[in-house]
Amino acid sequence: MLNVGAIEEGFVLDHIKAGKAMTIYKDLKLDQLDCTVAIIKNAKSSKMGKKDILKVECPIDQLNMDVVGFIDHNITVNIIKNSRIIAKKKLELPKEIRNVIRCRNPRCITSIEQGLDQVFVLTDPEKEIYRCKYCEEKYHGTHNK
Amino acid sequence: MRKLKHLRHIMSPLDLTVEEMDKLMDLAADMEVNPKKYAHVCDGLKLATLFYEPSTRTRMSFESAMLNMGGSIIGFHSASSSSATKGESVADTIRVAGCFADICAMRHPKEGAPMVAAEVSPIPVINAGDGGHQHPTQTLADLMTIRTLKGRLNNLTVGICGDLKFGRTVHSLISALVRYTGIRFILISPEELRIPSYVKEEVLNPAGTPYEEVIRLEDAIPKLDILYMTRVQKERFFNEDDYVRMKDFYILDEEKMKLGGPEMYVLHPLPRVNEISVNVDKDPRAAYFKQVHYGMYMREALMYTLLELGEDQ
């Protein structure tokens, strides 16, 4: 059994689909933070068979959990303070995501306009469909689908 | 710059409710009958036509509409004659135009460009066509033409023919018409240019609007109240061969017109190339030039409304 030490303040993202931890690592921009991050791949899970876990030691207001909700809203987010779980955050599909994914429509204004954010809007919560705010192109990526 | 109580932009026909559209059509009809009443309502006001790609009808229509109301026009007619050549962003261009003008009509080859402008604009922005995306004032012209000629916007079988894949006017028209009752569509196109699945999944199906997809125009014509023809647009294709293969797929001629009823009006957003024979022009059911006429009054009514001119009276 692999042991990773407890964290003082931060997050434990549990029940990440096996193999997705690095995607979340990049999209949360954890590489840009000067904090301790543990990436646990392919941990045993009674519910999922295999799962990934991310442990991040950082102030709890520093991460944008909308990104995690977009990638997979079934991930469990445990918020840690003073080495104890103080809350379990229920993730929802964010209504809007900014600068996480890019519009792939070559005819979209986002392909040429300088300084313009890449904004996607949740247009169908049931089918989990996101569309570019500007050209309404559907997002066909593999983050959460 | 005219001070407005509510700064409002029009990006898509769905930015207007059915009631607002009906009001606009009533206003446009009044403007057509009583031009003198509106001849000076825009005295001292300016329209900026920011056209990043060439357009004849839409630009002239907006400009005529503003001139009809006594206003003036500024702007540019192609990206090459604007600061876009120097690398100026759409956002900066509208900030600048907003210092001179009171309202703006923007056409841009990139989809969503008018929305970028609207996000920072101090004046109302009207989308005058953004790539293959939306063209709300064309839809207003289409609806006004149908309502005037048929006397109603419900209980109609509407055939739409040609490029249903890239045709922005088609997507906008369908979105607007599904809000009326008793509408049925016959979608006539080659396999390659069929209506995109998202229009079916997100517009037609949720509205419960019946539609059928056919390839032969002749099969559809006898059933139609309105035949909406479209041009296969070269600028929407990345591949020249595909364009050449598709461009003459449908040609509406006198023979095919004989298959239609006495009140099956033919609309077309123009410019037409080969898809409607010039011999059809003399048929009283050919309504595409009337569409241009009504389009101007709808743009006039729209600018009048966005500039809150009626509220002064």
Side-chain angles (χ1 to χ4, degrees), chain A residues 98 103 105-117 119 123-124 127 129 131-138 140, chain B residues 12 87-92 108-113 115-116 119 130-134 166 198 201-202 235-238:
Chain A
R98 204 168 274 264
C103 183
N105 175 8
R107 299 181 184 90
C108 180
I109 186 66
T110 55
S111 66
I112 57 162
E113 178 82 354
Q114 47 183 296
L116 186 63
D117 283 352
V119 185
T123 55
D124 186 339
K127 292 183 186 157
I129 292 172
R131 289 190 179 279
C132 171
K133 180 185 177 187
Y134 299 101
C135 72
E136 296 181 87
E137 180 88 353
K138 189 171 169 180
H140 288 288
Chain B
S12 134
E88 186 173 63
S89 65
V90 169
D92 281 0
H108 201 291
K110 291 290 183 187
E111 300 170 10
M115 183 178 275
V116 171
E119 284 179 337
D130 58 337
H133 187 217
Q134 296 283 355
F166 298 113
Y198 79 85
E201 290 162 15
E202 294 177 22
E235 59 269 32
R236 305 287 170 237
F237 285 84
F238 284 128

CSV table of all heavy atoms in Angstrom, one decimal, chain A residues 98 103 105-117 119 123-124 127 129 131-138 140, chain B residues 12 87-92 108-113 115-116 119 130-134 166 198 201-202 235-238:
chain,number,residue,atom,x,y,z
A,98,ARG,N,-14.4,29.3,-18.8
A,98,ARG,CA,-13.6,30.3,-19.4
A,98,ARG,C,-12.2,29.9,-19.5
A,98,ARG,O,-11.6,29.4,-18.6
A,98,ARG,CB,-13.7,31.6,-18.5
A,98,ARG,CG,-13.5,32.9,-19.2
A,98,ARG,CD,-13.8,34.1,-18.3
A,98,ARG,NE,-15.3,34.4,-18.5
A,98,ARG,CZ,-15.7,35.3,-19.3
A,98,ARG,NH1,-14.9,36.0,-20.0
A,98,ARG,NH2,-17.0,35.5,-19.4
A,103,CYS,N,-12.4,26.9,-28.9
A,103,CYS,CA,-13.3,26.7,-30.0
A,103,CYS,C,-12.5,26.2,-31.2
A,103,CYS,O,-11.5,26.8,-31.6
A,103,CYS,CB,-14.1,28.0,-30.3
A,103,CYS,SG,-15.3,27.7,-31.6
A,105,ASN,N,-13.9,25.8,-34.2
A,105,ASN,CA,-14.5,26.3,-35.5
A,105,ASN,C,-13.5,27.3,-36.1
A,105,ASN,O,-13.4,28.4,-35.6
A,105,ASN,CB,-15.8,26.9,-35.2
A,105,ASN,CG,-16.5,27.5,-36.4
A,105,ASN,OD1,-16.0,27.4,-37.5
A,105,ASN,ND2,-17.6,28.2,-36.2
A,106,PRO,N,-13.0,27.0,-37.3
A,106,PRO,CA,-12.0,28.0,-37.9
A,106,PRO,C,-12.7,29.3,-38.3
A,106,PRO,O,-12.1,30.3,-38.6
A,106,PRO,CB,-11.5,27.2,-39.1
A,106,PRO,CG,-12.5,26.2,-39.4
A,106,PRO,CD,-13.2,25.8,-38.1
A,107,ARG,N,-14.1,29.3,-38.4
A,107,ARG,CA,-14.8,30.5,-38.8
A,107,ARG,C,-15.2,31.3,-37.6
A,107,ARG,O,-15.8,32.4,-37.7
A,107,ARG,CB,-16.1,30.1,-39.5
A,107,ARG,CG,-15.8,29.3,-40.8
A,107,ARG,CD,-17.2,29.0,-41.5
A,107,ARG,NE,-17.0,28.2,-42.7
A,107,ARG,CZ,-17.1,26.9,-42.7
A,107,ARG,NH1,-17.3,26.3,-41.6
A,107,ARG,NH2,-16.9,26.2,-43.8
A,108,CYS,N,-14.8,30.9,-36.4
A,108,CYS,CA,-15.2,31.6,-35.2
A,108,CYS,C,-14.3,32.8,-34.9
A,108,CYS,O,-13.1,32.8,-35.2
A,108,CYS,CB,-15.1,30.7,-34.0
A,108,CYS,SG,-15.6,31.5,-32.4
A,109,ILE,N,-14.8,33.9,-34.4
A,109,ILE,CA,-14.1,35.1,-34.1
A,109,ILE,C,-13.0,34.8,-33.1
A,109,ILE,O,-11.9,35.5,-33.1
A,109,ILE,CB,-15.0,36.2,-33.7
A,109,ILE,CG1,-14.3,37.6,-33.5
A,109,ILE,CG2,-15.8,35.9,-32.4
A,109,ILE,CD1,-13.8,38.2,-34.8
A,110,THR,N,-13.1,33.8,-32.3
A,110,THR,CA,-12.1,33.5,-31.3
A,110,THR,C,-10.8,33.1,-31.9
A,110,THR,O,-9.8,33.1,-31.3
A,110,THR,CB,-12.5,32.4,-30.3
A,110,THR,OG1,-12.9,31.3,-31.0
A,110,THR,CG2,-13.7,32.9,-29.4
A,111,SER,N,-10.9,32.7,-33.2
A,111,SER,CA,-9.6,32.3,-33.9
A,111,SER,C,-8.8,33.5,-34.3
A,111,SER,O,-7.6,33.3,-34.6
A,111,SER,CB,-10.0,31.5,-35.1
A,111,SER,OG,-10.7,32.3,-36.1
A,112,ILE,N,-9.3,34.7,-34.3
A,112,ILE,CA,-8.5,35.8,-34.7
A,112,ILE,C,-8.5,37.0,-33.7
A,112,ILE,O,-7.6,37.8,-33.7
A,112,ILE,CB,-8.9,36.4,-36.1
A,112,ILE,CG1,-10.3,36.8,-36.2
A,112,ILE,CG2,-8.6,35.4,-37.2
A,112,ILE,CD1,-10.6,37.7,-37.3
A,113,GLU,N,-9.5,37.2,-32.9
A,113,GLU,CA,-9.6,38.4,-32.1
A,113,GLU,C,-8.6,38.3,-30.9
A,113,GLU,O,-8.7,37.4,-30.1
A,113,GLU,CB,-11.0,38.5,-31.6
A,113,GLU,CG,-11.3,39.7,-30.6
A,113,GLU,CD,-11.6,41.0,-31.4
A,113,GLU,OE1,-11.4,41.0,-32.6
A,113,GLU,OE2,-11.9,42.0,-30.7
A,114,GLN,N,-7.8,39.3,-30.8
A,114,GLN,CA,-6.7,39.3,-29.8
A,114,GLN,C,-7.4,39.6,-28.4
A,114,GLN,O,-8.3,40.4,-28.3
A,114,GLN,CB,-5.7,40.3,-30.1
A,114,GLN,CG,-6.3,41.7,-30.5
A,114,GLN,CD,-5.2,42.7,-30.9
A,114,GLN,OE1,-4.4,43.1,-30.1
A,114,GLN,NE2,-5.2,43.1,-32.1
A,115,GLY,N,-6.8,38.9,-27.4
A,115,GLY,CA,-7.3,39.1,-26.0
A,115,GLY,C,-8.6,38.6,-25.7
A,115,GLY,O,-9.2,39.0,-24.7
A,116,LEU,N,-9.3,37.8,-26.6
A,116,LEU,CA,-10.6,37.4,-26.3
A,116,LEU,C,-10.6,36.1,-25.6
A,116,LEU,O,-9.9,35.1,-26.0
A,116,LEU,CB,-11.4,37.2,-27.7
A,116,LEU,CG,-12.8,36.9,-27.6
A,116,LEU,CD1,-13.6,38.0,-27.0
A,116,LEU,CD2,-13.4,36.7,-29.1
A,117,ASP,N,-11.4,36.0,-24.5
A,117,ASP,CA,-11.5,34.8,-23.7
A,117,ASP,C,-12.2,33.7,-24.5
A,117,ASP,O,-13.1,34.0,-25.3
A,117,ASP,CB,-12.3,35.0,-22.4
A,117,ASP,CG,-11.4,35.7,-21.4
A,117,ASP,OD1,-10.2,35.9,-21.6
A,117,ASP,OD2,-12.0,36.1,-20.3
A,119,VAL,N,-14.9,31.3,-24.2
A,119,VAL,CA,-16.0,31.1,-23.3
A,119,VAL,C,-17.0,30.0,-23.9
A,119,VAL,O,-17.4,30.1,-25.0
A,119,VAL,CB,-16.8,32.4,-23.0
A,119,VAL,CG1,-17.8,32.2,-22.0
A,119,VAL,CG2,-15.8,33.5,-22.6
A,123,THR,N,-25.5,24.7,-22.7
A,123,THR,CA,-26.8,25.0,-23.4
A,123,THR,C,-27.8,23.9,-23.1
A,123,THR,O,-29.0,24.1,-23.3
A,123,THR,CB,-26.6,25.2,-24.9
A,123,THR,OG1,-25.9,24.0,-25.4
A,123,THR,CG2,-25.8,26.4,-25.2
A,124,ASP,N,-27.3,22.7,-22.8
A,124,ASP,CA,-28.2,21.6,-22.5
A,124,ASP,C,-27.7,20.8,-21.3
A,124,ASP,O,-26.9,19.9,-21.5
A,124,ASP,CB,-28.4,20.7,-23.8
A,124,ASP,CG,-29.4,19.6,-23.6
A,124,ASP,OD1,-29.8,19.3,-22.4
A,124,ASP,OD2,-29.9,19.1,-24.6
A,127,LYS,N,-28.1,16.8,-21.6
A,127,LYS,CA,-27.1,16.1,-22.5
A,127,LYS,C,-25.7,16.6,-22.3
A,127,LYS,O,-24.8,16.2,-23.0
A,127,LYS,CB,-27.6,16.3,-23.9
A,127,LYS,CG,-28.9,15.6,-24.3
A,127,LYS,CD,-29.2,15.8,-25.7
A,127,LYS,CE,-30.6,15.2,-26.0
A,127,LYS,NZ,-31.2,15.8,-27.2
A,129,ILE,N,-24.3,19.5,-22.9
A,129,ILE,CA,-23.7,20.1,-24.2
A,129,ILE,C,-23.2,21.5,-23.9
A,129,ILE,O,-24.0,22.3,-23.3
A,129,ILE,CB,-24.8,20.1,-25.3
A,129,ILE,CG1,-25.0,18.7,-25.7
A,129,ILE,CG2,-24.3,21.0,-26.5
A,129,ILE,CD1,-26.2,18.5,-26.7
A,131,ARG,N,-21.6,25.0,-25.7
A,131,ARG,CA,-21.4,25.6,-27.0
A,131,ARG,C,-20.5,26.9,-26.8
A,131,ARG,O,-20.6,27.6,-25.8
A,131,ARG,CB,-22.7,26.0,-27.6
A,131,ARG,CG,-23.5,24.9,-28.1
A,131,ARG,CD,-24.7,25.3,-28.9
A,131,ARG,NE,-25.4,24.1,-29.3
A,131,ARG,CZ,-25.1,23.4,-30.4
A,131,ARG,NH1,-24.0,23.7,-31.1
A,131,ARG,NH2,-25.8,22.3,-30.7
A,132,CYS,N,-19.8,27.2,-27.8
A,132,CYS,CA,-19.0,28.4,-27.8
A,132,CYS,C,-20.0,29.6,-27.7
A,132,CYS,O,-21.0,29.6,-28.4
A,132,CYS,CB,-18.2,28.5,-29.1
A,132,CYS,SG,-17.4,30.1,-29.3
A,133,LYS,N,-19.7,30.5,-26.8
A,133,LYS,CA,-20.5,31.7,-26.6
A,133,LYS,C,-20.7,32.5,-27.9
A,133,LYS,O,-21.7,33.1,-28.1
A,133,LYS,CB,-19.9,32.5,-25.5
A,133,LYS,CG,-20.7,33.7,-25.1
A,133,LYS,CD,-20.0,34.6,-24.1
A,133,LYS,CE,-20.7,35.8,-23.8
A,133,LYS,NZ,-19.9,36.7,-23.0
A,134,TYR,N,-19.7,32.5,-28.7
A,134,TYR,CA,-19.7,33.4,-29.9
A,134,TYR,C,-20.3,32.8,-31.1
A,134,TYR,O,-21.2,33.4,-31.7
A,134,TYR,CB,-18.3,33.9,-30.1
A,134,TYR,CG,-17.7,34.7,-28.9
A,134,TYR,CD1,-16.9,34.2,-28.0
A,134,TYR,CD2,-18.2,36.0,-28.7
A,134,TYR,CE1,-16.4,34.9,-26.9
A,134,TYR,CE2,-17.8,36.7,-27.6
A,134,TYR,CZ,-16.9,36.1,-26.7
A,134,TYR,OH,-16.5,36.8,-25.6
A,135,CYS,N,-19.8,31.6,-31.5
A,135,CYS,CA,-20.3,31.0,-32.7
A,135,CYS,C,-21.3,29.9,-32.5
A,135,CYS,O,-21.8,29.4,-33.5
A,135,CYS,CB,-19.1,30.5,-33.6
A,135,CYS,SG,-18.3,29.1,-32.9
A,136,GLU,N,-21.5,29.5,-31.3
A,136,GLU,CA,-22.4,28.4,-30.9
A,136,GLU,C,-22.0,27.0,-31.3
A,136,GLU,O,-22.8,26.1,-31.4
A,136,GLU,CB,-23.8,28.8,-31.3
A,136,GLU,CG,-24.4,30.0,-30.7
A,136,GLU,CD,-25.8,30.3,-31.1
A,136,GLU,OE1,-26.7,29.8,-30.5
A,136,GLU,OE2,-26.0,31.1,-32.1
A,137,GLU,N,-20.7,26.9,-31.7
A,137,GLU,CA,-20.2,25.6,-32.1
A,137,GLU,C,-20.2,24.7,-30.9
A,137,GLU,O,-19.8,25.1,-29.8
A,137,GLU,CB,-18.8,25.7,-32.7
A,137,GLU,CG,-18.2,24.5,-33.1
A,137,GLU,CD,-18.5,24.1,-34.6
A,137,GLU,OE1,-19.3,24.8,-35.2
A,137,GLU,OE2,-17.9,23.1,-35.1
A,138,LYS,N,-20.7,23.4,-31.1
A,138,LYS,CA,-20.8,22.5,-30.0
A,138,LYS,C,-19.3,22.0,-29.7
A,138,LYS,O,-18.5,21.8,-30.6
A,138,LYS,CB,-21.6,21.3,-30.5
A,138,LYS,CG,-22.0,20.3,-29.5
A,138,LYS,CD,-23.0,19.4,-30.1
A,138,LYS,CE,-23.3,18.2,-29.4
A,138,LYS,NZ,-24.3,17.3,-30.1
A,140,HIS,N,-16.9,19.3,-28.9
A,140,HIS,CA,-16.8,17.8,-29.2
A,140,HIS,C,-15.6,17.2,-28.5
A,140,HIS,O,-15.2,16.1,-29.0
A,140,HIS,CB,-16.7,17.6,-30.7
A,140,HIS,CG,-18.0,17.9,-31.4
A,140,HIS,ND1,-19.1,17.1,-31.4
A,140,HIS,CD2,-18.3,19.0,-32.3
A,140,HIS,CE1,-20.0,17.7,-32.1
A,140,HIS,NE2,-19.6,18.8,-32.6
B,12,SER,N,-29.3,37.7,-32.8
B,12,SER,CA,-30.0,36.6,-33.4
B,12,SER,C,-31.5,36.9,-33.4
B,12,SER,O,-32.0,37.7,-32.6
B,12,SER,CB,-29.8,35.3,-32.6
B,12,SER,OG,-31.0,34.6,-32.3
B,87,GLY,N,-4.5,45.5,-38.0
B,87,GLY,CA,-4.5,44.5,-36.9
B,87,GLY,C,-5.5,45.0,-35.8
B,87,GLY,O,-5.4,44.4,-34.7
B,88,GLU,N,-6.3,46.0,-36.0
B,88,GLU,CA,-7.2,46.4,-35.0
B,88,GLU,C,-8.3,45.4,-34.7
B,88,GLU,O,-8.8,44.8,-35.6
B,88,GLU,CB,-7.9,47.8,-35.3
B,88,GLU,CG,-8.7,48.3,-34.2
B,88,GLU,CD,-9.3,49.7,-34.4
B,88,GLU,OE1,-10.1,49.8,-35.4
B,88,GLU,OE2,-8.9,50.6,-33.7
B,89,SER,N,-8.6,45.2,-33.4
B,89,SER,CA,-9.5,44.2,-33.0
B,89,SER,C,-10.9,44.7,-33.2
B,89,SER,O,-11.2,45.9,-33.4
B,89,SER,CB,-9.4,43.8,-31.5
B,89,SER,OG,-9.6,45.0,-30.7
B,90,VAL,N,-11.9,43.8,-33.3
B,90,VAL,CA,-13.3,44.1,-33.4
B,90,VAL,C,-13.7,45.0,-32.2
B,90,VAL,O,-14.4,46.0,-32.3
B,90,VAL,CB,-14.2,42.9,-33.5
B,90,VAL,CG1,-15.6,43.2,-33.4
B,90,VAL,CG2,-13.9,42.1,-34.8
B,91,ALA,N,-13.2,44.6,-31.0
B,91,ALA,CA,-13.6,45.3,-29.8
B,91,ALA,C,-13.2,46.8,-29.9
B,91,ALA,O,-13.9,47.7,-29.5
B,91,ALA,CB,-13.0,44.6,-28.6
B,92,ASP,N,-11.9,47.0,-30.3
B,92,ASP,CA,-11.5,48.4,-30.4
B,92,ASP,C,-12.2,49.2,-31.5
B,92,ASP,O,-12.5,50.4,-31.3
B,92,ASP,CB,-10.0,48.4,-30.7
B,92,ASP,CG,-9.1,48.1,-29.5
B,92,ASP,OD1,-9.7,47.9,-28.4
B,92,ASP,OD2,-7.9,48.1,-29.5
B,108,HIS,N,-19.5,40.6,-40.5
B,108,HIS,CA,-18.1,40.1,-40.4
B,108,HIS,C,-18.1,38.7,-40.8
B,108,HIS,O,-19.0,37.9,-40.6
B,108,HIS,CB,-17.8,40.2,-38.9
B,108,HIS,CG,-16.3,40.2,-38.6
B,108,HIS,ND1,-15.5,39.1,-38.9
B,108,HIS,CD2,-15.4,41.2,-38.2
B,108,HIS,CE1,-14.2,39.4,-38.6
B,108,HIS,NE2,-14.2,40.6,-38.2
B,109,PRO,N,-17.0,38.3,-41.5
B,109,PRO,CA,-16.9,36.9,-42.0
B,109,PRO,C,-16.8,35.9,-40.8
B,109,PRO,O,-17.1,34.7,-41.0
B,109,PRO,CB,-15.7,36.9,-42.9
B,109,PRO,CG,-14.9,38.1,-42.5
B,109,PRO,CD,-15.9,39.1,-42.0
B,110,LYS,N,-16.3,36.4,-39.7
B,110,LYS,CA,-16.1,35.4,-38.6
B,110,LYS,C,-17.4,35.4,-37.7
B,110,LYS,O,-17.9,36.4,-37.3
B,110,LYS,CB,-14.9,35.9,-37.7
B,110,LYS,CG,-13.6,35.7,-38.4
B,110,LYS,CD,-13.2,34.3,-38.6
B,110,LYS,CE,-11.8,34.2,-39.2
B,110,LYS,NZ,-11.4,32.8,-39.5
B,111,GLU,N,-17.7,34.2,-37.3
B,111,GLU,CA,-18.9,34.0,-36.5
B,111,GLU,C,-18.8,34.4,-35.1
B,111,GLU,O,-17.8,34.1,-34.5
B,111,GLU,CB,-19.3,32.5,-36.6
B,111,GLU,CG,-19.6,32.0,-38.0
B,111,GLU,CD,-19.7,30.5,-38.2
B,111,GLU,OE1,-19.8,29.8,-37.2
B,111,GLU,OE2,-19.7,30.1,-39.4
B,112,GLY,N,-19.7,35.2,-34.7
B,112,GLY,CA,-19.6,35.7,-33.3
B,112,GLY,C,-19.0,37.1,-33.2
B,112,GLY,O,-19.0,37.7,-32.1
B,113,ALA,N,-18.5,37.6,-34.3
B,113,ALA,CA,-17.8,38.9,-34.2
B,113,ALA,C,-18.7,40.0,-33.7
B,113,ALA,O,-18.3,40.8,-32.8
B,113,ALA,CB,-17.2,39.3,-35.6
B,115,MET,N,-21.0,39.8,-31.6
B,115,MET,CA,-21.2,39.6,-30.1
B,115,MET,C,-20.0,40.1,-29.4
B,115,MET,O,-20.2,40.7,-28.3
B,115,MET,CB,-21.5,38.1,-29.8
B,115,MET,CG,-21.7,38.0,-28.3
B,115,MET,SD,-22.1,36.3,-27.8
B,115,MET,CE,-23.8,36.2,-28.1
B,116,VAL,N,-18.8,40.0,-29.9
B,116,VAL,CA,-17.6,40.5,-29.3
B,116,VAL,C,-17.8,42.0,-29.3
B,116,VAL,O,-17.5,42.7,-28.2
B,116,VAL,CB,-16.4,40.2,-30.2
B,116,VAL,CG1,-15.2,40.9,-29.7
B,116,VAL,CG2,-16.1,38.6,-30.1
B,119,GLU,N,-20.3,43.1,-26.6
B,119,GLU,CA,-19.9,43.0,-25.2
B,119,GLU,C,-19.2,44.3,-24.6
B,119,GLU,O,-19.2,44.6,-23.4
B,119,GLU,CB,-18.9,41.9,-25.0
B,119,GLU,CG,-19.6,40.5,-25.1
B,119,GLU,CD,-18.6,39.4,-25.0
B,119,GLU,OE1,-17.4,39.5,-25.3
B,119,GLU,OE2,-19.0,38.3,-24.5
B,130,ASP,N,-23.0,37.3,-39.7
B,130,ASP,CA,-21.6,36.9,-39.2
B,130,ASP,C,-21.3,35.5,-39.7
B,130,ASP,O,-21.7,34.5,-39.1
B,130,ASP,CB,-21.5,37.0,-37.7
B,130,ASP,CG,-22.5,36.2,-36.9
B,130,ASP,OD1,-23.6,35.8,-37.4
B,130,ASP,OD2,-22.2,35.8,-35.7
B,131,GLY,N,-20.6,35.4,-40.8
B,131,GLY,CA,-20.2,34.1,-41.4
B,131,GLY,C,-21.5,33.3,-41.7
B,131,GLY,O,-22.5,33.8,-42.2
B,132,GLY,N,-21.4,32.0,-41.3
B,132,GLY,CA,-22.5,31.1,-41.6
B,132,GLY,C,-23.4,31.0,-40.4
B,132,GLY,O,-24.2,30.1,-40.2
B,133,HIS,N,-23.3,32.0,-39.5
B,133,HIS,CA,-24.0,31.9,-38.2
B,133,HIS,C,-25.4,32.5,-38.2
B,133,HIS,O,-26.3,31.8,-38.4
B,133,HIS,CB,-23.1,32.6,-37.1
B,133,HIS,CG,-23.5,32.4,-35.7
B,133,HIS,ND1,-23.3,33.4,-34.8
B,133,HIS,CD2,-24.1,31.4,-35.1
B,133,HIS,CE1,-23.8,33.0,-33.6
B,133,HIS,NE2,-24.3,31.8,-33.8
B,134,GLN,N,-25.5,33.8,-38.0
B,134,GLN,CA,-26.8,34.4,-37.9
B,134,GLN,C,-27.0,35.6,-38.8
B,134,GLN,O,-26.0,36.3,-39.1
B,134,GLN,CB,-27.1,34.9,-36.4
B,134,GLN,CG,-27.1,33.8,-35.4
B,134,GLN,CD,-28.4,33.0,-35.4
B,134,GLN,OE1,-29.4,33.4,-36.1
B,134,GLN,NE2,-28.5,32.0,-34.6
B,166,PHE,N,-24.9,25.3,-44.7
B,166,PHE,CA,-24.1,26.5,-44.4
B,166,PHE,C,-25.0,27.8,-44.4
B,166,PHE,O,-24.5,28.8,-44.0
B,166,PHE,CB,-23.0,26.7,-45.4
B,166,PHE,CG,-22.0,25.6,-45.4
B,166,PHE,CD1,-21.8,24.8,-46.5
B,166,PHE,CD2,-21.2,25.4,-44.3
B,166,PHE,CE1,-20.9,23.7,-46.5
B,166,PHE,CE2,-20.2,24.4,-44.3
B,166,PHE,CZ,-20.1,23.5,-45.4
B,198,TYR,N,-27.8,19.7,-35.4
B,198,TYR,CA,-28.2,20.5,-34.2
B,198,TYR,C,-29.4,21.3,-34.4
B,198,TYR,O,-30.2,21.6,-33.5
B,198,TYR,CB,-27.0,21.4,-33.7
B,198,TYR,CG,-26.8,22.6,-34.5
B,198,TYR,CD1,-27.5,23.8,-34.2
B,198,TYR,CD2,-25.8,22.7,-35.6
B,198,TYR,CE1,-27.3,25.0,-34.9
B,198,TYR,CE2,-25.6,23.9,-36.3
B,198,TYR,CZ,-26.4,25.0,-36.0
B,198,TYR,OH,-26.2,26.1,-36.7
B,201,GLU,N,-32.1,18.7,-33.7
B,201,GLU,CA,-32.1,18.3,-32.2
B,201,GLU,C,-32.5,19.5,-31.3
B,201,GLU,O,-33.1,19.2,-30.3
B,201,GLU,CB,-30.7,17.8,-31.8
B,201,GLU,CG,-30.4,16.4,-32.4
B,201,GLU,CD,-28.9,16.1,-32.3
B,201,GLU,OE1,-28.2,16.8,-31.6
B,201,GLU,OE2,-28.5,15.2,-33.1
B,202,GLU,N,-32.1,20.7,-31.7
B,202,GLU,CA,-32.2,21.8,-30.7
B,202,GLU,C,-33.3,22.7,-31.1
B,202,GLU,O,-33.7,23.6,-30.3
B,202,GLU,CB,-30.9,22.5,-30.5
B,202,GLU,CG,-29.9,21.6,-29.8
B,202,GLU,CD,-28.5,22.2,-29.7
B,202,GLU,OE1,-28.5,23.4,-29.7
B,202,GLU,OE2,-27.6,21.5,-29.5
B,235,GLU,N,-18.2,31.1,-50.8
B,235,GLU,CA,-17.4,31.5,-49.7
B,235,GLU,C,-17.5,30.6,-48.5
B,235,GLU,O,-16.7,30.7,-47.5
B,235,GLU,CB,-17.6,33.0,-49.3
B,235,GLU,CG,-19.0,33.3,-48.9
B,235,GLU,CD,-19.9,33.8,-50.0
B,235,GLU,OE1,-19.7,33.3,-51.2
B,235,GLU,OE2,-20.8,34.6,-49.8
B,236,ARG,N,-18.5,29.7,-48.4
B,236,ARG,CA,-18.7,28.8,-47.3
B,236,ARG,C,-17.9,27.5,-47.5
B,236,ARG,O,-17.8,26.7,-46.6
B,236,ARG,CB,-20.1,28.5,-47.0
B,236,ARG,CG,-21.0,29.8,-46.8
B,236,ARG,CD,-20.8,30.5,-45.5
B,236,ARG,NE,-21.4,31.8,-45.5
B,236,ARG,CZ,-20.8,32.9,-45.3
B,236,ARG,NH1,-19.5,33.0,-45.0
B,236,ARG,NH2,-21.5,34.0,-45.3
B,237,PHE,N,-17.4,27.3,-48.7
B,237,PHE,CA,-16.7,26.0,-49.0
B,237,PHE,C,-15.2,26.2,-48.8
B,237,PHE,O,-14.7,27.2,-49.3
B,237,PHE,CB,-17.0,25.5,-50.4
B,237,PHE,CG,-18.4,25.0,-50.5
B,237,PHE,CD1,-19.5,25.8,-50.8
B,237,PHE,CD2,-18.7,23.6,-50.4
B,237,PHE,CE1,-20.8,25.3,-50.9
B,237,PHE,CE2,-19.9,23.1,-50.5
B,237,PHE,CZ,-21.0,23.9,-50.8
B,238,PHE,N,-14.6,25.2,-48.2
B,238,PHE,CA,-13.1,25.2,-48.2
B,238,PHE,C,-12.6,24.6,-49.5
B,238,PHE,O,-11.4,24.7,-49.8
B,238,PHE,CB,-12.6,24.4,-47.0
B,238,PHE,CG,-12.8,25.2,-45.7
B,238,PHE,CD1,-13.4,24.7,-44.6
B,238,PHE,CD2,-12.3,26.5,-45.6
B,238,PHE,CE1,-13.6,25.4,-43.4
B,238,PHE,CE2,-12.5,27.3,-44.4
B,238,PHE,CZ,-13.1,26.7,-43.3
